[in-house]
Amino acid sequence: MADLKDQAPFETLDVRGKALPYPLYLTKKKMGQTEQGQILKILCDAPESAEDSIPRYAGKMGYSIESVKLADRWELFIKKT
């Protein structure tokens, strides 16, 4: 099976520049609109969200998640299962 980052996302959610708790809130809202099997790509520059709250939420929901750290942001890929 290919990595999540290598698959085409259903949509890209840009939460860069948003303070807590908005990245998580917007992620939850968008995942509610995502169908099973689709991948949401999230662009995030808040370490607390990218490394803690969003991955914790995905794990709690049973979603697959992959995170890629770039120089100035994270790219998170969440697959609704």
Side-chain angles (χ1 to χ4, degrees), residues 17-45:
K18 305 275 191 235
L20 288 172
Y22 293 105
L24 178 60
Y25 170 76
L26 295 171
T27 297
K28 286 180 176 182
K29 184 176 179 181
K30 188 57 72 176
M31 288 304 293
Q33 301 167 359
T34 303
E35 295 183 18
Q36 187 173 356
Q38 291 181 319
I39 296 171
L40 176 65
K41 178 180 179 179
I42 304 162
L43 305 177
C44 184
D45 60 1

Side-chain angles (χ1 to χ4, degrees), residues 45-74:
D45 60 1
E48 305 85 9
S49 297
E51 295 179 342
D52 183 40
S53 63
I54 293 174
R56 196 163 12 110
Y57 157 73
K60 181 179 176 184
M61 298 302 293
Y63 302 152
S64 301
I65 184 166
E66 186 174 329
S67 176
V68 177
K69 172 71 170 107
L70 303 173
D72 61 342
R73 70 180 187 278
W74 286 260

Side-chain angles (χ1 to χ4, degrees), residues 3-29:
D3 293 334
L4 295 180
K5 66 179 174 28
D6 296 332
Q7 299 177 44
F10 148 73
E11 194 168 329
T12 299
L13 176 65
D14 189 349
V15 296
R16 291 175 291 181
K18 305 275 191 235
L20 288 172
Y22 293 105
L24 178 60
Y25 170 76
L26 295 171
T27 297
K28 286 180 176 182
K29 184 176 179 181

